Amino acid sequence: MLDEALEQIVHEGPWTVEETCRAFEVRAQQMHESLSPRQLARWMRGDVGQARPVAQRVAEAFWGHRFEVLLGSPQELSEFEHRSGTAAPGLSVDVESLEAAAVMAAHESFEHAARIAGTVDSDDISLLQESVLELARGYQTKPPLQLLTEARHIRNVAYLLLDKTRRPAQTSELYQVAGQACGLLSVVAFDLARWDAAEEQARSARTYAELIGDADLEAWSRGTQALIANWRGQSRRAIDLIASSIDNAPAGVSTARLRAIEARAWAELGRPDQVKESLRLADVEMEQPRDNELYGAKGGEFGWGASRHAACAGTALLTVGQGESAVTRISDAIALVSEDPLGGLEPARAQVDLATAELLAGRLDASVDALDTVWPIPAPHRRHGITGRMEQLARRLTGRDWRETSEAVDLRDQIEVFNAEAVSRLALPSA
């Protein structure tokens, strides 16, 4: 007879103890917690000792019951479910954890196969190339910590294969994959507000790009470095990074992205004339023919489609206080998303900027309405690009025009809760 409720849940579930620990690990990554088979076995016996509070919270989220209920008898669990209407044992593990555990296992198999293989198979390189493009295109649909795992896997396999080949063509392809993976890792670190890590990954991506002469990846990496610098309050450095890159950047979307980021840096420095000129140059580049799939309108996080371009311009205009112009450009960006689904724009960022622009234009009700689609975003998906913008909006709500308005006070409170939930789910240990 099973003495503990948790023991019954595990034994009646679809996984072994080791598989359960793997799935638990996926959920626990968001709280920097882990569970070993030995620890799970102790819990199943009811021997918890000094179980850390964070471990208890992860267990509660993973199995869907309070920790003390999990450690009670199966009869007590049945009575609790009857009173509370909760799911039956073993059915509360969410599909996301199940899928992530399966992906993690597949990654481990691929990495081991790459490690023991005697030669580099061109099919493995093709798979990595497809994987990095798929990850870039699906970037906005996955939480940062899952993206961190997947991008690291792609990079690590590229490293393993690089150690096994001396063929120039394969080496060049693998350096490109490694550079693209580092680029995505830079964006993930940015989304987690880990600035030093984001900068280091962007520099690594640029190094690989320079090594193989990939001008588009080099321009993208430089632009990402400038974007990171701008968010860190280093706008003058961002300008310098753009200036050192612009002459060698391919014409079209790669240069347009650099100019748009430059406009945002000038905006932070309070230079509206320079903002206008940078945006003019960026718009001219967007009119160039687009034949680059990865860095154009179909590249996902690497891409720079019409919607993302308009949103970036709107952010620059917003920063220099041009509320009505910002509303126009950001509204255009949001309207273009349906025609530009792989252009790289995360609509929620544009919605928060629109809310701020409407507030700047004196329309609090419109500002509130713009956030309707932002509030439901699950906490693990609330990237810094969203929470940082929400924080900026909250600061504007403390201005003289809105400070004493009850609706503005309520909105500030909502933003505080929204961001606090994100921090609690994305908390990582200090580097």
Side-chain angles (χ1 to χ4, degrees), residues 73-92:
S73 69
Q75 292 80 7
E76 290 174 345
L77 177 62
S78 298
E79 293 173 4
F80 175 79
E81 290 170 354
H82 180 73
R83 293 193 306 272
S84 63
T86 56
L91 298 181
S92 59

Side-chain angles (χ1 to χ4, degrees), residues 226-227 229-230 234-240 242 259-271 274-275 316 319:
L227 192 63
N230 200 45
Q234 302 169 358
S235 298
R236 176 55 65 179
R237 178 169 177 264
I239 297 292
D240 292 341
I242 299 296
R259 289 296 189 189
I261 294 171
E262 180 184 55
R264 289 175 59 174
W266 282 124
E268 292 291 344
L269 293 171
R271 300 286 295 278
Q274 293 287 356
V275 170
T319 304

Side-chain angles (χ1 to χ4, degrees), residues 38-252:
R38 180 176 297 179
Q39 184 180 1
L40 177 57
R42 289 199 301 269
W43 284 5
M44 290 165 63
R45 294 195 304 269
D47 179 16
V48 295
Q50 298 296 320
R52 289 178 291 175
V54 67
Q56 296 182 33
R57 290 197 298 272
V58 176
E60 289 171 350
F62 185 70
W63 280 294
H65 297 291
R66 293 203 314 270
F67 194 68
E68 59 268 27
V69 173
L70 290 171
L71 299 181
S73 69
Q75 292 80 7
E76 290 174 345
L77 177 62
S78 298
E79 293 173 4
F80 175 79
E81 290 170 354
H82 180 73
R83 293 193 306 272
S84 63
T86 56
L91 298 181
S92 59
V93 176
D94 62 78
V95 174
E96 185 175 316
S97 293
L98 195 67
E99 292 177 347
V103 169
M104 188 183 297
H107 288 348
E108 291 169 350
S109 299
F110 190 11
E111 289 184 24
H112 183 263
R115 189 175 296 110
I116 65 173
T119 59
V120 174
D121 191 322
S122 60
D123 287 343
D124 287 342
I125 297 178
S126 295
L127 180 58
L128 286 180
Q129 292 170 326
E130 292 168 6
S131 296
V132 78
L133 179 57
E134 181 181 356
L135 190 60
R137 286 177 169 171
Y139 189 93
Q140 305 299 344
T141 66
K142 299 179 179 182
L145 292 175
Q146 182 180 346
L147 291 160
L148 178 66
T149 298
E150 296 191 21
R152 283 182 63 186
H153 160 69
I154 293 171
R155 184 203 62 185
N156 290 347
V157 173
Y159 288 165
L160 285 171
L161 297 181
L162 277 166
D163 287 340
K164 293 177 177 294
T165 185
R166 293 297 179 266
R167 296 173 62 181
Q170 289 186 336
T171 299
S172 179
E173 289 174 330
L174 288 168
Y175 276 134
Q176 184 181 59
V177 169
Q180 291 167 348
C182 288
L184 291 177
L185 286 168
S186 175
V187 181
V188 172
F190 175 95
D191 286 338
L192 297 170
R194 295 285 163 157
W195 307 117
D196 289 343
E199 168 69 20
E200 190 170 353
Q201 294 287 3
R203 283 203 311 272
S204 298
R206 191 190 80 209
T207 298
Y208 291 126
E210 291 173 342
L211 188 63
I212 60 175
D214 188 335
D216 284 297
L217 179 57
E218 183 179 349
W220 185 90
S221 302
R222 284 280 193 171
T224 301
Q225 284 185 274
L227 192 63
I228 294 165
N230 200 45
W231 271 90
R232 299 184 81 171
Q234 302 169 358
S235 298
R236 176 55 65 179
R237 178 169 177 264
I239 297 292
D240 292 341
L241 283 165
I242 299 296
S244 67
S245 311
I246 205 74
D247 290 340
N248 297 322

